[in-house]
Amino acid sequence: MERFHHAEANYDIEESDVFLSGHHACPGCGEALAVRYVINTMGPRTIAIVPPSCIAIIAGLQPNSSMRVPIVHGTLESSAASAAGVRRALNHQRKHDVNVLVMAGDGGTYDIGFQALSGAAERNEDMVYVCLDNEGYMNTGAQKSGSTPHLASTASTPGGKTTGKKNIAEIMAAHRIPYVATATIGYPDDLARKVAKARDLKGMRFIVVLTPCLDGWGLPENGAVRVSRLAVETGFFPLFEVEDGVRYTINHGPRGMPVQRYLEAQKRFRHLEAEQKERLQAEVDEAWALLRARVECGALPAATGDSGDGFPGR
Amino acid sequence: MLLTGNHAVAYGVMLARPAVVPVYPITPQTPILEKISDLQLAGEFAVDLMTAESEHSAMSACITASLTGVRVFTATASQGLMLMHEMLHFASGARAPIVMVNVNRTVSSPWGFWPDQTDSLSQRDTGWIQYYTESGQESLDTVIQAFKVAEQVLLPVMVVHEAFYISHALEPVTVPAQDVVDAYLPPFDPAVRLDPGLGRSWGNPVNQDLYFRFRQAVGEAMDRVPGLALQADAEYEKMFGRGYEIVERYRMEGAEIAIVAFGSMVGTARVAVDALREAGISAGLVKLKLFRPFPIGEVRAAVAGVPKLVVMERNFSPGAGGILHQELKATVCGMEDPPKVHGYLAGVGGVNVSPAKIEALVRRALEEEPVPQSVWQR
Ligand SMILES: Cc1ncc(C[n+]2csc(CCOP(=O)(O)OP(=O)(O)O)c2C)c(N)n1
Ligand code: SF4
Ligand SMILES: [Mg+2]
């Protein structure tokens, strides 16, 4: 297992004071913690796009704002296109030092916002797109999304979701964009390092951050970080990076802990039968094997080099 | 130059110097996009052309680029405009002075590619200023004027011309000189914009009272438009020798009946009015160039004392009838001795409305009493 473990032992998180206290998230919210590391790492020379989601509530109601940067609260499906508009205008004004950031939920990313995201990735638009993934439409009362895991109970799938979670990281990697990463709040140094790395690259950079939701997942107020770590340690949500769509690096993966430990920590899985839990364990094992195979593939010599147009591997 | 209406638009856009043009192809708008691409490739037009993956994204990018403080343009038609609908409201609420050309085309279903104004008219409540033009030359000139008006009131503008009759018809067009356009249209440099140095945001949720006040502010900006549009047109006429007003009166002296029209129908109606006058019927024509905000004062002044008005519609709102017919009935209501308003659904779906047909409908309107509904008339 250790051979996939490339994370820097000690990344020093450098936090600017862009994110302020006194926002409107539920106390203990995993998403708010992610917002803190993301926006504080991006820094004050940033313009952020935030669609309707719990993030928008965290950002604040007019005339208040929890973030010391300009924010466009756009529409649910347009974040990537909105960010592209800001970027292109900034380029015209020669403000190349200003970062353009999207912070969108899983609904705004996997589902309704996916077309704009895929289009922006195909055009290799210059932005950092962070999906704060709480695996459901929490702002509207915890309905299922394309990110909700198989068999999880939500307000619109009370008997458990019958289909699986989209693998958004692989979907984005398949666009061959410069950088894709998964991260979660239980590993803040890994999260902040990835945001800093994305910030300093050019082109489309995409990070999906697993952010446990107290209400939607059925967690106690102090449960978000613990469940975030369990997600990684059981293999439910491995942490990895993909450069140029092909070079995979695993940062943190399962440590032999049964998936059962992750499931029993959340009310959204408490209806599961033993046989369903076994099925989920098998799915996690299979996904992990596939991910490891991708790491091996990425180690093969690249078929094509940099085409020189800023879009590698074309 | 001999240009199609759409190519005339592309030249007008180039002269206005937008920085960013996010756009998505759709018949019959596509020649605008293609001509802009050609001008860009030829090195004549330095513009960031964003080949968006949909009209919804094109409009989303227009809004944020505009809010970041640069001039933006886009163009669309029919289904593309329908897909933008959510963002059209967002744009006017955000006070983004975008200029967009919409080429009127029938809305599905069933599918069709014909001139019909229902696409843009159904967006009349989105907070966009709407101009309707009669020729490619007028479209070119109006695009330049539109930026001037938009940037004064911080509202988006739709310049609308019809499929094929105008978009694809070749006509001689005068393309103004760049330095004169630069003198007419100063660079867009708004004080309030998205900038980490300023820290201003847009869009986060408001309470009822703030929402009320934002809407009221949009309304007040709209109210300034007729005056500013007239001023922009007068200045344009002085510098370029062509002016259009916002409501034009054609042969209205002593008119016993007036056709009220907009878009390509205006050109046809001019011929019909000439023929009717020749035949001894004192018919006139009121051309509506500005449709949103609806220039009530100017229209009332134009039709005061005229006993009858007649509208030939190239649009249809099921359950309500012709849209111009409704607007006119509301406009004359409360006038002293208001004109009677006849509405005929004559050109819906792009059905040809010839001068002879207009003449016949005017004669028919003179004979009959109007009914409240718009009447189907093929
Ligand atoms: C076009 C449109 N449809 C529906 C909504 C209602 N809506 C607001 S937020 C939301 C769900 C957002 O879910 P997600 O992106 O996962 O963010 P979260 O609330 O979970 O943070 C929905 C459906 C909307 N704002 N716009
Ligand atoms: S509902 Fe969930 S995601 Fe939203 S603020 Fe509360 S804990 Fe956070
Ligand atoms: Mg969510």
Side-chain angles (χ1 to χ4, degrees), chain B residues 9-355:
Chain B
V9 163
Y11 278 98
V13 174
M14 180 173 79
L15 290 167
R17 297 187 190 273
V20 183
V21 174
V23 62
Y24 190 82
I26 181 169
T27 303
Q29 172 275 121
T30 312
I32 299 177
L33 155 62
E34 289 174 347
K35 188 71 189 173
I36 292 174
S37 316
D38 289 346
L39 291 167
Q40 185 201 37
L41 184 67
E44 289 180 53
F45 187 7
V47 66
D48 185 350
L49 187 73
M50 174 176 159
T51 52
E53 83 296 330
S54 72
E55 289 89 352
H56 194 286
S57 285
M59 182 48 61
S60 301
C62 280
I63 293 167
T64 51
S66 178
L67 294 183
T68 309
V70 303
R71 184 171 288 159
V72 297
F73 173 83
T74 190
T76 192
S78 180
Q79 307 302 118
L81 189 67
M82 301 299 108
L83 186 60
M84 282 181 184
H85 177 74
E86 180 194 31
M87 301 316 294
L88 297 183
H89 281 282
F90 201 96
S92 60
R95 307 299 295 272
I98 301 157
V99 172
M100 168 163 70
V101 165
N102 180 69
V103 185
N104 284 133
R105 167 186 148 183
T106 45
V107 175
S108 301
S109 63
W111 287 96
F113 310 90
W114 320 125
D116 182 302
Q117 298 166 316
T118 310
D119 59 354
S120 55
L121 290 173
S122 72
Q123 306 305 309
R124 65 193 187 277
D125 299 334
T126 56
W128 283 60
I129 297 163
Q130 287 195 350
Y131 283 113
Y132 288 78
T133 71
E134 185 189 345
S135 69
Q137 179 75 62
E138 188 181 356
S139 295
L140 182 158
D141 295 330
T142 307
V143 163
I144 297 169
Q145 291 190 17
F147 278 110
K148 182 133 182 151
V149 175
E151 290 166 11
Q152 289 177 81
V153 292
L154 296 178
L155 284 175
V157 182
M158 215 180 282
V159 177
V160 185
H161 71 201
E162 277 151 79
F164 307 115
Y165 290 144
I166 297 174
S167 69
H168 285 61
L170 272 171
E171 56 170 301
V173 173
T174 305
V175 178
Q178 183 70 63
D179 57 334
V180 192
V181 176
D182 289 345
Y184 176 79
L185 187 65
F188 178 52
D189 187 19
V192 178
R193 58 183 189 278
L194 294 171
D195 183 335
L198 295 174
R200 304 283 289 257
S201 294
W202 176 250
N204 49 349
V206 293
N207 64 19
Q208 298 93 322
D209 183 53
L210 267 177
Y211 193 89
F212 186 99
R213 281 152 58 191
F214 274 118
R215 298 313 289 170
Q216 199 173 2
V218 169
E220 283 162 7
M222 269 289 178
D223 292 343
R224 292 174 57 211
V225 169
L228 289 171
L230 274 172
Q231 208 176 303
D233 185 62
E235 206 180 313
Y236 195 89
E237 184 165 21
K238 212 182 289 164
M239 293 176 74
F240 301 94
R242 286 180 305 278
Y244 303 91
E245 305 175 82
I246 55 175
V247 173
E248 183 202 328
R249 303 175 199 192
Y250 180 74
R251 304 194 72 169
M252 284 294 287
E253 325 75 55
E256 55 181 310
I257 185 162
I259 300 162
V260 184
F262 54 172
S264 73
M265 193 89 79
V266 174
T268 322
R270 288 183 201 273
V271 178
V273 165
D274 290 347
L276 286 162
R277 286 267 174 179
E278 193 90 347
I281 295 174
S282 28
L285 167 68
V286 176
K287 167 184 170 177
L288 203 63
K289 178 182 173 72
L290 186 69
F291 180 77
R292 273 293 178 276
F294 197 85
I296 294 182
E298 286 75 5
V299 173
R300 282 187 166 193
V303 304
V306 180
K308 285 195 168 210
L309 303 180
V310 55
V311 196
M312 261 76 54
E313 305 272 15
R314 205 183 268 303
N315 66 80
F316 176 51
S317 169
I323 292 169
L324 186 53
H325 188 201
Q326 299 169 47
E327 297 274 352
L328 280 177
K329 284 188 293 182
T331 300
V332 302
C333 173
M335 282 175 77
E336 223 174 285
D337 264 338
K340 293 176 172 173
V341 188
H342 298 254
Y344 298 110
L345 296 162
V348 177
V351 163
N352 186 34
V353 180
S354 64

Side-chain angles (χ1 to χ4, degrees), chain A residues 23-33 53-55 57-58 132 134 136-142 211-217 219 224:
Chain A
H23 55 74
H24 293 96
C26 307
C29 168
E31 199 159 87
L33 198 53
S53 57
C54 283
I55 311 143
I57 302 308
I58 295 167
L132 300 175
N134 52 23
Y137 299 163
M138 300 317 176
N139 191 237
T140 44
T211 57
C213 165
L214 309 180
D215 183 50
W217 295 19
L219 304 177

Side-chain angles (χ1 to χ4, degrees), chain A residues 35-55:
Chain A
V35 167
R36 167 179 156 185
Y37 291 119
V38 171
I39 196 86
N40 283 355
T41 302
M42 290 301 291
R45 295 289 289 167
T46 299
I47 296 176
I49 308 289
V50 171
S53 57
C54 283
I55 311 143

